[in-house]
Amino acid sequence: MKNIFTLLTALLLLASCASNKTVSQTTVETTTKNGSTTTKTTTVTAKKATEQMAFLNRVADNQLTAKNIVASADFRLQAGNKDLSCDGKIAMRRNEIIRLQLLLPIIRTEIARVDFTPDYVLLVDRYHKEYIKAEYKDVSFLADNGISFYSLQSLFWNELFLPGEHNLGEQQLKKLACDLAAMATSVPVSYKSGKIAYSWDINKSTAEIQTADIVYKSARDGESSLHWTYDNFKQVGGKAFPLTQQFTVKTGVTGKQQTAQLSVRMSSPKTSSDWDVKTELSPKYKRIEAQDILKKLLSIQ
């Protein structure tokens, strides 16, 4: 069980690439006419814009209407020379919490958990009776990359998102570039400005998100990337939801290039609301400073 807390802290590193930095986008194109070069704002025809919005609305309509998702889960972390697996549970309540619980085999007793909430991250190691509770701004590598609970929530829930936005209405969807002309079975959708780029690969026939990618370029730490894949779509609350998710992070945020991959295979999903979002800890638990996360992270290599 000594690697359990390492697994939890690695989840923070994976999430740190999900940036919520506020950015703006102005797309320009350069054309040559009669030997002169001009730059203008890119526009699309009314027909093309209508087709793009129709497709993006199909994607948005795939969003689960259920407020809760609760499922059994198998976790597998691969990082450096480590390959760790653990039984567990995942419980999510929209706009309130994402909870990952790690369980002992057979007896299914919780050994550790991580709670992502809009205000803080809580990591609990029940084996050693230790915990970390920190606001996102208090963990330097999270703050530097601008992690947002809401972008992380969208990734787990298989949804489109924009940095700094909690919900995507039609005005927000218009900011996304959508290439319906792509000669493939999937449609690339993207949003880009400055140092950060978001992209999704979406099934053309079902409008289901198949992959999500985030790339952030830092002058200090180099390029960080997050690649998230979705598979095994099943009906949950009347909507298709991917029970298999895998995310791979590559980053130099710790001072050297590191790669970690977490696979989550869910089963028996329910939409039950009969569970508490608040984690209560007894005085026996020792609090660890947030910055110690990095030291624990380095132990996985």
Side-chain angles (χ1 to χ4, degrees), residues 263-282:
S263 301
V264 183
R265 298 176 63 89
M266 291 172 258
S267 61
S268 305
K270 298 179 177 60
T271 57
S272 171
S273 60
D274 187 22
W275 55 283
D276 294 326
V277 298
K278 184 74 172 178
T279 296
E280 300 288 350
L281 297 175
S282 77

Side-chain angles (χ1 to χ4, degrees), residues 229-233 241-246 263-266:
T229 64
Y230 304 94
D231 200 1
N232 191 25
F233 284 80
F241 179 74
L243 296 183
T244 299
Q245 301 186 22
Q246 180 175 283
S263 301
V264 183
R265 298 176 63 89
M266 291 172 258

Side-chain angles (χ1 to χ4, degrees), residues 94-117:
R94 185 176 291 280
N95 297 331
E96 294 187 46
I97 195 169
I98 300 165
R99 174 174 293 157
L100 307 179
Q101 297 169 269
L102 306 184
L103 308 177
L104 285 172
I106 303 176
I107 60 175
R108 307 284 291 177
T109 299
E110 182 183 277
I111 191 64
R113 73 167 56 182
V114 56
D115 286 352
F116 292 99
T117 78

Side-chain angles (χ1 to χ4, degrees), residues 7 11 14 71-78 84 86-92 98-102 156 228-232 241-247 261-267:
L7 176 57
L11 296 174
L14 290 166
S72 298
D74 295 325
F75 298 103
R76 182 184 181 188
L77 173 69
Q78 296 168 284
L84 312 174
C86 188
D87 295 338
K89 293 181 180 179
I90 183 168
M92 301 187 289
I98 300 165
R99 174 174 293 157
L100 307 179
Q101 297 169 269
L102 306 184
F156 270 106
W228 204 295
T229 64
Y230 304 94
D231 200 1
N232 191 25
F241 179 74
L243 296 183
T244 299
Q245 301 186 22
Q246 180 175 283
F247 28 110
Q261 182 181 89
L262 182 71
S263 301
V264 183
R265 298 176 63 89
M266 291 172 258
S267 61

Side-chain angles (χ1 to χ4, degrees), residues 63-174:
Q63 177 176 308
L64 269 67
T65 54
K67 185 177 176 62
N68 296 274
I69 301 176
V70 180
S72 298
D74 295 325
F75 298 103
R76 182 184 181 188
L77 173 69
Q78 296 168 284
N81 61 355
K82 302 293 185 181
D83 191 339
L84 312 174
S85 297
C86 188
D87 295 338
K89 293 181 180 179
I90 183 168
M92 301 187 289
R93 181 166 296 169
R94 185 176 291 280
N95 297 331
E96 294 187 46
I97 195 169
I98 300 165
R99 174 174 293 157
L100 307 179
Q101 297 169 269
L102 306 184
L103 308 177
L104 285 172
I106 303 176
I107 60 175
R108 307 284 291 177
T109 299
E110 182 183 277
I111 191 64
R113 73 167 56 182
V114 56
D115 286 352
F116 292 99
T117 78
D119 300 317
Y120 61 85
V121 181
L122 175 67
L123 297 99
V124 181
D125 179 356
R126 297 200 184 280
Y127 186 76
H128 298 102
K129 287 188 167 44
E130 297 175 339
Y131 73 97
I132 296 170
K133 184 176 183 180
E135 296 180 27
Y136 298 92
K137 66 179 179 60
D138 293 332
V139 185
S140 60
F141 67 89
L142 296 183
D144 291 345
N145 284 276
I147 182 175
S148 163
F149 166 80
Y150 296 99
S151 56
L152 185 61
Q153 174 176 261
S154 294
L155 287 165
F156 270 106
W157 286 67
N158 190 233
E159 300 169 352
L160 296 171
F161 64 92
L162 282 175
E165 301 285 352
H166 293 184
N167 298 290
L168 291 192
E170 189 155 322
Q171 291 304 312
Q172 288 76 29
L173 289 174
K174 287 180 179 178

Side-chain angles (χ1 to χ4, degrees), residues 181-202:
M183 299 299 291
T185 58
S186 59
V187 177
V189 173
S190 61
Y191 181 78
K192 181 179 180 180
S193 182
K195 298 178 180 180
I196 192 164
Y198 304 82
S199 61
W200 298 263
D201 204 39
I202 302 175

